[in-house]
Amino acid sequence: MNFNKEQSLAVRHFTGPCMVLAGPGSGKTTVIANRIRYLTEECEVSPEKILVITFTRTAAEEMRERYRVLTGGEQGVTFSTFHALFFKILRYAYSYDSSNILTEEERTRFLRDAAQKTGAANYLDGDLIFALSSEISCVKNRKGLMTARPGRSVGTDKKQFEEIYNEFERILRDEKKIDFDDMMLLCGRLFDEHPEILSYWQQVYEYILIDEFQDICPLQYELIKRLAEPHNNIFVVGDDDQSIYAFRGASSELMFEFEKDHKKLKEYERITLGVNYRCSESIVEFSSDLIAHNKKRFKKTLKSGRKGFLKTDTVMYREFPDVGKETMYVVNMIENLIARGIDPCEIAVLYRVNTQPGMLVSKLKERNIRFVIKDSVPNIYEHWVTKNIFAYMELAVMQQNDGSNRYGSDGQKANTGKWRELFLQIVNRPSRYIRRESLRRQDLSLDVLYAENRDKAYVREKLDKLKYDLTILGKLPPKAAVSYIRKAIGYDGFIKKYSEERMLDAEGLFEILNELEASAAEFSAYADWKKHIEEYSEALRKKTAEHKEKESGVGLLTFHSAKGMEFDTVFIIDASEDYTPYWQAATSSEIEEERRMFYVALTRAKNRLFVLHAADRFGKKREPSRFLREAKLNIK
């Protein structure tokens, strides 16, 4: 096989530490596979002495297959993830088995139980559970230090978080479960208390190769560094410019620490793979101009190993007055590309957060364009905020059908159960000062609430207003109804207060409301809108199931999920402030990570890159991302 000079240096590195800086499309997998072959075939290293670590099981299998094709057999080389390696060590020492490993379903359930038991949150949605999980992981990755907790937490203050953390740990102990972070902590303790066990594993693996080293966390690095001693035959491949997993505890600074730790050794090498064989010349230039604005990085010059595309045909920027027109442009262009012979699997639409592609999913479905959702796209129609809005509208329909202003009274036996369920969702959203004890009554009705509050004029006034509002809602088309609930009834005010009390992302909740209102505008009757919602929800469920069955089509991916992938054509939607960089990014290090995420997105494209911006997203004005100017893209 032909290698360029830098690839050849990396492949033929023998002993001592080595760090390979591998830019996008530079052939890092090829380098790793061929170095393993070089060690076994030319240096006569026993395959059993070689450990290759990747971050996912899929990547480990791909690396194993690449090596098998090169050599005609695995020959005893160990291909493993970090988690599999640490669990293997613990299994030998403590006789753990798979039943001790915490599943994702159990993790979610235990976190919910811990948070509710400590009284830290009255309502836990998926975002809050994910935030708590990430924060706990960050703390564990830094040996349980609470100072490692992210500065802007979600849903809890410092004291509440510590209570949740301790309760979660208690549940794990009681259930005899360990999570992936515990595996690292336990291995560290094992090595401290039993140096003979550490010595045994050091002798088992004398050559260690690590892929995607920029994604390593401090505890993983510490354990691997100890495992590599005293030989220090540790070969790491990564790109600090593609470090985008800080929320999991990863830190690109560990690449600088690796160099500091090993540079004093005379065998140390640093090699840069600077030829990008994936992207056209202008995509390489565009992305390089962008990432150069990061200050904490290894300086490197990248160039394209491909020619043949005119720059004007490769990177295109388009601005649209609103997200609807942006979406239709993407759908039309995808249709044209497929008609010209581009395989749908070679087309991807990338976005910063998984709430963005809702309208796109709907339009692709309408055009019968095959697509695959790589991430779980939240269905806004199943969000609790949306369910509150629908509860108001359903109550209005029920009241209108009943022909009275007293729906929920003792005389409405047929629909009491449904009415009660809907009423409980919205009764104190916004607050109507109804006591919890009252809401627990099985005979709950407006008549009962009036009777209980006969001496509280302010409560009776709120109930009268609710009946009046439901009467008005029953006469309005969908969009006007949503707007009335938000403004006249005061739901927006409830969301603002709710978010402030729980330190939640009010911006995200308001965006759901804005998108819901925009969706409602397409329908003149609530029944038609409801039918559309049911069809959309069913299509989304099917797409999630199809992805599990490896269905093919146009890829819809977040920046994070797109890492490691490549496509002929890439569309980046909503290249706007508040999305990229994301509005929560405040510190310089957070902005640098956002810039790396955008860099990863840009470098997924081989031949065509469309960067798009919508000036208005569901009623909110947005400016083009600062990253576009940094990349020297001509924008207005």
Side-chain angles (χ1 to χ4, degrees), residues 82-84 86-87 90 96 98-104 106-108 110-111 132-141 165 168-169 171-173 176-187 219:
F82 276 108
H83 298 138
F86 298 143
F87 187 67
L90 293 174
Y96 280 127
S98 58
S99 67
N100 297 115
I101 300 177
L102 187 70
T103 67
E104 282 303 310
E106 288 171 333
R107 186 178 186 85
T108 298
F110 293 168
L111 279 171
L132 287 172
S133 180
S134 295
E135 290 183 31
I136 288 172
S137 183
C138 281
V139 170
K140 287 188 177 184
N141 285 338
Y165 181 94
F168 178 65
E169 288 298 286
I171 294 173
L172 289 185
R173 288 192 299 272
K176 295 181 173 55
K177 297 285 185 176
I178 58 172
D179 62 17
F180 290 142
D181 302 312
D182 292 326
M183 292 180 195
M184 293 185 286
L185 290 168
L186 289 171
C187 273
L219 192 49

Side-chain angles (χ1 to χ4, degrees), residues 389-430:
I389 300 297
F390 288 164
Y392 272 110
M393 298 177 76
E394 291 280 359
L395 285 170
V397 170
M398 293 174 77
Q399 177 170 291
Q400 189 178 45
N401 291 341
D402 176 61
S404 77
N405 243 0
R406 58 187 182 84
Y407 208 92
S409 67
D410 294 333
Q412 309 303 316
K413 299 297 185 183
N415 288 300
T416 297
K418 180 65 174 176
W419 180 89
R420 188 175 190 277
E421 177 188 337
L422 295 169
F423 184 74
L424 288 174
Q425 288 187 50
I426 57 86
V427 59
N428 281 319
R429 297 185 174 194

Side-chain angles (χ1 to χ4, degrees), residues 43-319:
C43 300
E44 299 183 345
V45 173
S46 172
E48 288 76 15
K49 294 287 186 181
I50 300 174
L51 169 65
V52 183
I53 302 176
T54 66
F55 275 81
T56 66
R57 283 180 292 182
T58 300
E61 289 301 319
E62 289 176 353
M63 192 71 73
R64 178 184 286 111
E65 178 61 18
R66 181 74 69 94
Y67 179 66
R68 188 193 66 78
V69 170
L70 278 175
T71 63
E74 293 178 26
Q75 301 177 340
V77 175
T78 298
F79 295 87
S80 174
T81 63
F82 276 108
H83 298 138
L85 171 66
F86 298 143
F87 187 67
K88 179 179 181 179
I89 293 171
L90 293 174
R91 191 175 71 241
Y92 275 59
Y94 299 128
S95 300
Y96 280 127
D97 60 38
S98 58
S99 67
N100 297 115
I101 300 177
L102 187 70
T103 67
E104 282 303 310
E105 186 276 331
E106 288 171 333
R107 186 178 186 85
T108 298
R109 176 157 50 88
F110 293 168
L111 279 171
R112 192 178 296 277
D113 290 346
Q116 289 179 334
K117 184 165 184 179
T118 57
N122 295 322
Y123 189 94
L124 294 173
D125 60 14
D127 291 340
L128 181 54
I129 290 294
F130 178 80
L132 287 172
S133 180
S134 295
E135 290 183 31
I136 288 172
S137 183
C138 281
V139 170
K140 287 188 177 184
N141 285 338
R142 289 167 172 80
K143 298 184 177 181
L145 295 174
M146 289 295 170
T147 53
R149 190 183 183 218
R152 287 185 318 284
S153 64
V154 178
T156 61
D157 58 26
K158 183 177 184 294
K159 182 175 181 296
Q160 289 172 331
F161 174 76
E162 289 183 9
E163 290 175 352
I164 292 173
Y165 181 94
N166 292 331
E167 177 62 18
F168 178 65
E169 288 298 286
R170 185 196 65 76
I171 294 173
L172 289 185
R173 288 192 299 272
D174 288 351
E175 297 290 335
K176 295 181 173 55
K177 297 285 185 176
I178 58 172
D179 62 17
F180 290 142
D181 302 312
D182 292 326
M183 292 180 195
M184 293 185 286
L185 290 168
L186 289 171
C187 273
R189 193 177 306 156
L190 180 67
F191 291 165
D192 289 339
E193 297 173 356
H194 299 280
E196 74 280 4
I197 292 178
L198 172 60
S199 177
Y200 168 79
W201 289 104
Q202 288 172 336
Q203 293 174 44
V204 169
Y205 299 123
E206 293 185 8
Y207 289 81
I208 299 176
L209 298 87
I210 304 176
D211 189 19
E212 302 287 5
F213 187 70
Q214 76 279 349
D215 296 332
I216 202 168
C217 73
L219 192 49
Q220 287 170 333
Y221 177 59
E222 181 179 315
L223 291 172
I224 287 298
K225 189 168 64 171
R226 295 176 71 180
L227 203 60
E229 295 172 343
H231 312 288
N232 286 314
N233 295 325
I234 182 167
F235 181 91
V236 302
V237 181
D239 183 8
D240 55 311
D241 290 334
Q242 296 185 72
S243 178
I244 61 172
Y245 292 114
F247 69 91
R248 293 198 313 218
S251 172
S252 62
E253 293 192 7
L254 291 174
M255 297 187 74
F256 295 92
E257 189 171 328
F258 178 89
E259 183 159 83
K260 180 181 177 182
D261 289 340
H262 296 99
K263 204 169 183 179
K264 56 184 176 287
L265 301 176
K266 63 181 181 180
E267 299 95 342
Y268 176 76
E269 278 191 273
R270 190 223 291 178
I271 302 166
T272 300
L273 305 182
V275 181
N276 182 333
Y277 295 99
R278 174 194 304 152
C279 305
S280 66
E281 186 177 3
S282 56
I283 293 175
V284 172
E285 291 179 0
F286 179 60
S287 57
S288 295
D289 285 339
L290 168 75
I291 202 62
H293 284 76
N294 273 6
K295 293 181 171 59
K296 187 66 174 179
R297 63 186 291 263
F298 288 102
K299 297 295 188 291
K300 55 185 83 75
T301 301
L302 303 179
K303 62 182 180 180
S304 174
R306 297 184 50 227
K307 305 292 180 183
F309 269 82
L310 296 174
K311 293 182 182 181
T312 53
D313 293 334
T314 306
V315 180
M316 285 153 277
Y317 171 74
R318 296 287 185 274
E319 184 171 330

Side-chain angles (χ1 to χ4, degrees), residues 53 57 83 89 112 129 201 245 271 344 358-359 366 396 452 465 470 477 486 523 557 559 597 620:
I53 302 176
R57 283 180 292 182
H83 298 138
I89 293 171
R112 192 178 296 277
I129 290 294
W201 289 104
Y245 292 114
I271 302 166
M359 181 179 288
E366 287 178 12
E452 283 192 350
K465 176 67 163 54
L470 294 177
R486 297 181 64 181
F523 302 90
L557 306 91
F559 294 172
M597 272 186 258
K620 180 164 184 178

Side-chain angles (χ1 to χ4, degrees), residues 345 370-374 542-554:
C345 299
R370 290 187 295 122
F371 63 95
V372 177
I373 303 172
K374 300 292 186 181
K542 284 183 177 178
K543 282 298 171 187
T544 301
E546 286 172 357
H547 175 48
K548 291 177 182 177
E549 297 169 6
K550 298 185 178 179
E551 181 69 11
S552 63
V554 175

